[in-house]
């Protein structure tokens, strides 16, 4: 009989550990007595006392509750709610800014090694420019590419805090608002969220109760609009930090602000309903569009697909350069309506309201096509969609990915179909959290 070596440790027990490398999920890995521990609130190389928070077959989760030998990269968390048992929204408040970039580089590299067999792929995570007050229609996509590549990173406090333009506060059964504990439905009351955009921190939504609300959603757009929506209680759990989930759209009640906020990116103004998808970091839409254009090098006359297209950010940038047929596929009716309205001046773009996998399977979009952009939710595209893309024989594919594990699985599928990952850019679109955004270029192998 195989005995479970973790049976003798239970939740609440404490154990001394030397902490190893960061792993996907916002924690570091530690090993002791043939056990594997995923330790939050720790840094590589630290000696800590860890308290067991969850026991699983084959591994334990733990929080570093006492730091016996600190890493030189450890800092005092700027947020008072970022500690074991506190708010679970941030994973890296205790990590210095540069070390957060290195942490994410390690995670992306490890996912590519473990899931795609790429043993020596070099990865650099680039900081985004600090959020500044918006100027309407500021510069072109190509100009932004130069800007983001060479921008000197602002001092840590400026870059790491005050960036989150969409915040979902949880509300408990008694109507009290706050943020969720890590891997829990427990609501932690907070006075404000330090990573939230300044305009969201100024709202008074956390000073009173919200009977009958399940969540409060605040948006501060790059065009200067602020909107507050509530999600009525009893609509089921929504992942607190996954705005890419199409199922999370709809069902909200507007409390304040316009029905449509204005975003400014890639040389255009965009009308987006606050409950619709838009990139969360104020500099992300500009940076990602510039990177997609830089990697794909769209040429006049080339046809394109923008899969998981949202309001049409990438479709517009590509179609403006090709002047040719561009098909955007998006499953959310809200996203499609926004795309149709925002892209009305670009007649070569067709918006198809469908799930990407269904659209490819039922041949609502058919190849051949020259260029593909895809920007799936956290689960990634999956083998069926990757096969559909490869079958259309594009010249190049730009894959925008918010989960490096899902990306790495899709890298393996592309490779099995004869495609090569030729360039990878990575951006710190979510400072203080474990999340990282990658843009990968795939081209047919020689
Ligand atoms: C990460 S967002 C990208 C949106 C857009 N590319 C942008 O940057 O603004 C993913 C989008 O995919 C949509 N989506 C999710 N699952 C989908 C599916 N199976 N098929 C098509 N669209 C989907 C979501 O509604 C969301 O708009």
């Amino acid at each position: 009989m195989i005995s479970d070596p973790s049976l003798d440790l239970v939740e609440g027990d404490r154990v001394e550990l030397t902490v190893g490398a960061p792993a996907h999920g916002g924690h570091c890995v530690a090993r002791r007595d043939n056990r594997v521990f995923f330790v939050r609130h720790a840094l590589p190389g630290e000696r800590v006392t860890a308290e067991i928070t969850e026991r699983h077959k084959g591994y334990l989760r733990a929080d570093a509750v006492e730091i016996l030998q600190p890493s030189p990269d450890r800092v005092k968390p700027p947020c008072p709610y970022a500690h074991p048992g506190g708010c679970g929204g941030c994973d890296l408040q205790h990590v210095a800014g540069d070390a957060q970039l290195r942490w994410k580089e390690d995670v992306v590299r490890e996912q590519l090694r473990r899931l795609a067999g790429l043993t020596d792929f070099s990865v650099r995570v680039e900081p985004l420019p600090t959020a500044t007050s918006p100027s309407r229609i500021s510069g072109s996509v190509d100009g932004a590419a130069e800007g983001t590549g060479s921008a000197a990173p602002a001092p840590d406090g400026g870059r790491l805090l005050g960036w989150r333009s969409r915040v979902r506060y949880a509300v408990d059964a008694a109507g009290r608002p706050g943020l969720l504990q890590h891997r829990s439905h427990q609501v932690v009351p907070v006075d404000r969220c330090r990573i939230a955009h300044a305009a969201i921190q100024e709202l008074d939504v956390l000073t009173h109760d919200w009977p009958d609300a399940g969540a409060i959603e605040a948006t501060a757009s790059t065009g200067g609009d602020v909107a507050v929506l509530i999600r009525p209680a009893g609509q089921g759990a929504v992942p607190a930090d996954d705005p890419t989930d199409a199922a999370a759209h709809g069902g909200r009640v507007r409390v304040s602000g316009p029905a449509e906020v204005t975003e400014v990116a890639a040389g255009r103004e965009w009308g987006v309903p606050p409950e619709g998808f838009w990139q969360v970091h104020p500099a992300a839409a500009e940076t990602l569009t510039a990177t997609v254009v830089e990697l794909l090098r769209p040429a006049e006359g080339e046809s394109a697909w923008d899969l998981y297209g949202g309001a049409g950010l990438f479709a517009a940038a590509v179609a403006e350069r090709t002047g040719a047929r561009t098909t955007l596929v998006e499953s959310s009716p809200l996203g499609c309506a926004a795309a149709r309205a925002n892209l009305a001046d670009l007649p070569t773009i067709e918006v198809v309201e469908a799930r990407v996998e269904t659209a490819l399977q039922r041949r609502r979009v058919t190849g051949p096509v020259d260029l593909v952009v895809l920007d799936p939710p956290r689960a990634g595209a999956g083998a069926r969609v990757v096969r559909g893309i490869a079958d259309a024989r594009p010249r190049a594919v730009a894959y925008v990915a918010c989960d490096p594990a899902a990306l790495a699985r899709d890298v393996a599928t592309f490779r099995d179909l004869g495609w090569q990952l030729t360039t990878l850019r990575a951006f710190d679109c979510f400072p203080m959290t474990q999340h990282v955004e990658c843009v990968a270029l795939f081209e047919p192998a020689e």
Side-chain angles (χ1 to χ4, degrees):
M1 191 172 99
I2 301 169
S3 70
D4 182 349
S6 60
L7 276 181
D8 54 335
L9 281 172
V10 296
E11 286 172 22
D13 281 355
R14 292 188 170 196
V15 59
E16 211 173 293
L17 296 171
T18 299
V19 176
H24 185 254
H27 42 237
C28 293
V29 182
R31 291 172 206 279
R32 185 177 157 170
D33 303 334
N34 292 323
R35 301 178 179 110
V36 176
F37 300 81
F38 294 143
V39 190
R40 276 173 69 79
H41 307 282
L43 272 152
E46 288 188 330
R47 185 118 192 108
V48 304
T49 303
E51 184 170 307
I52 308 303
T53 53
E54 286 177 36
R55 219 181 57 176
H56 294 267
K57 205 169 165 58
Y59 69 95
L60 299 116
R61 292 184 185 274
D63 283 344
V65 290
E66 200 182 345
I67 311 303
L68 306 173
Q69 267 174 31
S71 157
D73 292 328
R74 176 168 286 275
V75 294
K76 182 173 184 295
C79 173
Y81 306 105
H83 55 78
C87 170
C90 290
D91 314 283
L92 305 180
Q93 286 261 347
H94 61 293
V95 184
D98 285 356
Q100 291 190 18
L101 301 178
R102 276 184 268 120
W103 175 301
K104 295 179 191 196
E105 284 163 6
D106 285 353
V107 170
V108 176
R109 207 179 297 113
E110 172 62 5
Q111 294 306 307
L112 290 174
R113 188 194 63 77
R114 214 166 57 80
L115 299 171
L118 297 178
T119 47
D120 53 2
F121 209 87
S122 111
V123 178
R124 191 167 84 80
V125 175
E126 304 169 46
L128 292 194
T130 303
T132 48
S133 356
S135 61
R136 298 208 166 210
I137 308 294
S138 55
S140 71
V141 168
D142 306 287
E146 286 159 30
T148 51
S150 59
D156 278 355
R159 185 177 79 76
L160 303 178
L161 304 174
W163 56 269
R164 196 172 180 103
S165 68
R166 273 135 179 93
V167 175
R168 183 179 298 141
Y169 295 109
V171 178
D172 70 13
R176 285 181 300 247
L179 289 163
L180 292 178
Q181 262 182 11
H182 184 58
R183 293 173 60 81
S184 162
H185 293 296
Q186 183 70 35
V187 176
V188 179
V190 297
D191 64 341
R192 62 198 170 93
C193 169
R194 269 67 176 169
I195 63 168
H197 190 286
I200 293 178
Q201 293 195 37
E202 281 163 18
L203 292 169
D204 73 345
V205 295
L206 296 170
T207 56
H208 56 93
D209 289 353
W210 294 83
D212 305 326
I216 308 160
E217 296 176 351
T219 299
S221 79
T222 41
D225 296 317
V226 179
V228 176
L229 309 179
I230 57 170
R231 203 179 159 85
Q235 290 203 350
V238 177
D241 65 346
D242 190 358
T244 65
D245 184 351
H249 293 175
R252 277 83 147 190
V253 178
R254 187 151 47 94
V255 175
S256 63
E260 196 177 86
V261 298
T262 300
E263 299 286 357
V264 183
R268 300 172 71 88
E269 281 191 4
W270 303 81
V272 185
E275 61 270 49
F277 179 87
W278 189 256
Q279 299 291 343
V280 171
H281 191 293
E286 191 86 37
T287 303
L288 297 176
T289 312
T291 307
V292 163
V293 167
E294 184 186 303
L295 296 185
L296 283 184
R297 290 176 286 107
E300 209 176 319
E302 286 190 312
S303 59
W305 292 349
D306 179 6
L307 307 180
Y308 311 91
L313 185 63
F314 303 131
V318 170
E320 279 169 355
R321 284 159 178 78
T322 60
R325 187 183 166 87
T326 300
T327 308
L328 179 153
V329 184
E330 164 61 46
S331 62
S332 149
L334 214 60
C336 289
R340 288 192 183 102
N342 285 301
L343 306 175
D345 63 318
L346 294 169
T348 62
I349 299 180
E350 183 200 5
V351 176
V352 173
E353 185 178 318
R355 293 175 65 78
V356 170
E357 43 282 46
T358 316
L360 290 173
Q361 190 188 354
R362 302 222 176 125
R363 302 185 63 76
R364 286 188 68 190
V365 283
T366 51
V369 71
D370 298 308
L371 305 170
V372 175
V373 188
L374 72 156
D375 183 8
R378 231 165 249 167
R384 210 148 48 108
V385 169
V386 172
R387 273 197 296 274
I389 292 170
D391 284 348
R393 308 181 66 80
R395 168 174 72 71
V397 176
Y399 186 145
V400 182
C402 55
D403 184 329
L407 172 65
R409 281 191 291 273
D410 290 335
V411 169
T413 309
F414 271 112
R415 181 205 51 216
D416 293 347
L417 296 169
W419 286 68
Q420 211 181 344
L421 171 61
T422 48
T423 309
L424 183 78
R425 300 275 302 273
F427 298 98
D428 194 13
C429 293
F430 313 95
M432 296 290 194
T433 78
Q434 53 143 331
H435 300 291
V436 54
E437 191 86 24
C438 295
V439 187
L441 177 68
F442 293 92
E443 292 170 292
E446 299 278 340

